Amino acid sequence: MKSLFWKIYLLFVGVNFLTVFFLSFQFSFSFTRFFIALIPSFFIGFFLSHYFSKKITSLNISIKNLSQKMENEHDALTEEKNRLATILNGMMEGVLVTDAKGVITLVNLSFQNMMGVKNCLGKTIIECIRNNEIHSIITQVLSEKKSYEGTFSFIIATLELHCIVHSAPLIANGLSLGSVTVFSDTTQIRKLENIRQDFVANVSHELRTPLTSIIGYAETIRDGEMTDKETTLRFIQKIEKNAIQLKDLVNDILFLSQMDSKTLHLNIQILNLKNLATELLQDFQSRVNEKKINLSLDFKDDLMVKADERILRQIMTNLLDNAIKYTPLSGEIKWMASQQKDQICIAVKDTGIGILKEDQARIFERFYRVDKSRSREVGGTGLGLAIVKNLVQFHGGSVSVQSEVGFGSTLSFTLPL
């Protein structure tokens, strides 16, 4: 019984052993065959991975180079665009570019300032500046494909603008792509030309008046029509007076020319204003006494100013001379100076005829006279106050006037400390 048990046990163990061995053999064989089958795939995958890795690396480099090239080209285009914008906005002339339909594609800063407009891109000429003449010019250039050059004037806000216009078509392969129009502002040149013409006319008139008197008195004396020495002397005095007037006019013109050409140089010194005013007053004392004018000085003893003495004398002389001319007999003139913060204010107040409000802004213009008949009666070149204004501004100061008709005027100027 016991031996039978062991036989059955050994048989069971043997069967299990054989089964495990067989299964292990089968699994090992299958695994080995699977591994052997994987070996070619591994080497093929390794080869393909290495091959495509090189290709991908090369592709990455190409893409990176292309990206860098595109970035460089973009930077170059941006730089070129900025350079063009800088050039256009730095031009004094206004530039207007349109497409073939007349729609604005580009304007520079000068054009916008000249025309007083903004946000013109994408608009037509009429929509942007509302000017039929400019619209007609550009329409003509676009339709006829011919350049245009001309001058025209128009009103912007309340100002009159004068321009020279150059307009040309943009053509490629016979097709019109648009137009480029350049506006040259000649308003200031026109204004200066008018001033020049007025100046020449005024100088001619101012020279003709005393010359005519001199010639008339001289011819009378030459023809021997004078019978007494007293009348002859009076005529000679008239000739002398007109000759002095001519000399003063020429000197004033030369002085203004010197200032306009910037050849006048300042010799700045520290000056005592009261001492200078007292000296100048002596030169006018006979005229003051003759008209019985009460002239008073209101200057502090220690009031000092930095200025060119010769030019300051000229300024104060012209102002005082003007006050004496237009102050009636027994009138009053007050000459004052004071310090106001960082500047010195010098004023001449008279009890003369006064100046109309509409004339006050123009009395410092060259040859401007409030009352021409009275001005010629009292003498003068018509340039005295213009010289005052120019000389004061040359010193960095300013001039002003306060006046009421029938109650006199106060002409004043300031100089920086």
Side-chain angles (χ1 to χ4, degrees), residues 404-415:
E404 187 176 352
V405 175
F407 293 92
S409 307
T410 301
L411 300 181
S412 59
F413 67 95
T414 61
L415 294 176

Side-chain angles (χ1 to χ4, degrees), residues 142-175:
L142 290 172
S143 61
E144 297 180 3
K145 299 179 183 179
K146 293 181 180 180
S147 297
Y148 170 90
E149 180 176 343
T151 61
F152 72 97
S153 303
F154 57 98
I155 303 296
I156 297 293
T158 58
L159 300 176
E160 186 176 11
L161 184 68
H162 303 279
C163 284
I164 296 176
V165 180
H166 302 266
S167 188
L170 294 172
I171 299 175
N173 299 324
L175 297 176

Side-chain angles (χ1 to χ4, degrees), residues 88-98 104-121 123-131 134-135 138 152 154 156 161 163 165 180-185:
L88 286 173
N89 289 329
M91 292 174 61
M92 297 291 291
E93 294 80 6
V95 178
L96 169 68
V97 181
T98 71
I104 298 171
T105 58
L106 186 147
V107 293
N108 69 345
L109 191 59
S110 292
F111 177 84
Q112 295 181 73
N113 293 336
M114 189 183 299
M115 302 297 175
V117 295
K118 290 182 179 180
N119 304 320
C120 289
L121 301 185
K123 297 180 181 179
T124 64
I125 303 298
I126 294 296
E127 291 173 335
C128 180
I129 58 177
R130 303 182 185 279
N131 186 281
I134 297 176
H135 173 73
I138 294 177
F152 72 97
F154 57 98
I156 297 293
L161 184 68
C163 284
V165 180
V180 178
T181 307
V182 178
F183 298 81
S184 301
D185 188 355

